[in-house]
Amino acid sequence: MNRRRFLTLSGVGVVGAVAGCSGDADTGESIDDHPAAADLEAQPRRGELGGHVVLAFEDPSCPTCRRFHQDTVPAIQQNIVDTGKGAYVVRTYPVIYPWGEPATQALESTFARDGEAFWSLFGHYFAEQSSFDSDNVLERTEAFLTEETEVDGEAVASDARERAHDDAVQADVQAAENAGLGETTPIILLFEDGEFVTKVNGSVSYDLIAEALGEHDG
């Protein structure tokens, strides 16, 4: 990240943590060494790693995550993923409302079976967020997967109740804790050419992400 870009981001109060901002060189921590990016290749993602990486810790029960998913992620898909410039990676992080934890268990169970079904379910949780609670989330999850995907919804719901994929859930939680990210979701970490650029929280705009990643540099 060059100094001008860092000062612009700092001026609008959105930089959560920036490494390597002296002079014109970015000496940020390598993505391979950053604790939030541990086992990154095993996480759900759109696009290919390398170039820009937008790593988001999101809770399906979080209203701010919903706004980020609906307002900003489509632009990330269009401008970074579809153009081959990088990847959008999700780590599920259930820290807001209680139903987010069984939903996260179901997401990991779904991802273990079918990546595209994971994205369908992830989007469904945000689209219908107000209709979920701890009592109905797995029943509604089972119905959605059965009706809208090729995944066995009953098996996913059973796995979620038994926490069959809890290792994957806890790996995401541990990655956040190891990186000291806190619990203000969504938490978005940006990497450029394999180096950490910055961390931001909340339903940030695509323009802010593009600025941090140098997409607006002339």
Side-chain angles (χ1 to χ4, degrees):
M1 175 186 287
N2 64 41
R3 183 171 178 79
R4 178 178 296 176
R5 203 188 320 158
F6 169 60
L7 291 174
T8 299
L9 291 169
S10 298
V12 295
V14 297
V15 177
V18 178
C21 296
S22 59
D24 290 331
D26 179 5
T27 57
E29 185 173 4
S30 167
I31 194 170
D32 294 329
D33 297 327
H34 199 291
D39 201 22
L40 195 64
E41 291 188 359
Q43 309 310 315
R45 75 172 187 265
R46 295 293 200 188
E48 297 302 319
L49 298 175
H52 302 325
V53 174
V54 180
L55 171 58
F57 286 74
E58 299 181 61
D59 181 339
S61 75
C62 167
T64 310
C65 296
R66 182 192 71 240
R67 291 193 294 273
F68 174 73
H69 184 82
Q70 295 177 340
D71 297 344
T72 304
V73 170
I76 295 171
Q77 177 74 37
Q78 179 180 354
N79 294 289
I80 293 178
V81 175
D82 291 347
T83 58
K85 293 181 178 180
Y88 162 58
V89 186
V90 166
R91 302 198 81 143
T92 51
Y93 190 39
V95 293
I96 305 301
Y97 293 112
W99 71 264
E101 202 281 333
T104 296
Q105 295 285 343
L107 282 165
E108 292 292 355
S109 177
T110 301
F111 182 62
R113 290 170 165 82
D114 185 280
E116 285 304 311
F118 167 90
W119 291 107
S120 295
L121 181 60
F122 194 52
H124 176 65
Y125 283 145
F126 289 129
E128 303 295 331
Q129 193 176 70
S130 63
S131 69
F132 291 105
D133 58 39
S134 296
D135 293 329
N136 69 23
V137 60
L138 293 182
E139 179 181 349
R140 288 176 176 268
T141 296
E142 178 179 340
F144 173 79
L145 291 173
T146 299
E147 294 169 6
E148 302 295 336
T149 77
E150 299 299 317
V151 169
D152 185 337
E154 183 178 1
V156 166
S158 176
D159 276 0
R161 291 186 181 95
E162 296 175 4
R163 304 170 68 89
H165 295 274
D166 192 53
D167 285 352
V169 174
Q170 296 308 317
D172 289 345
V173 172
Q174 192 63 54
E177 291 179 354
N178 289 346
L181 299 185
E183 297 185 352
T184 303
T185 54
I187 306 163
I188 301 107
L189 292 90
L190 304 177
F191 297 85
E192 182 179 359
D193 295 329
E195 291 188 339
F196 175 65
V197 175
T198 191
K199 173 181 75 72
V200 293
N201 296 73
S203 182
V204 298
S205 69
Y206 173 73
D207 283 345
L208 188 150
I209 290 172
E211 178 74 18
L213 293 175
E215 286 294 294
H216 291 167
D217 288 355

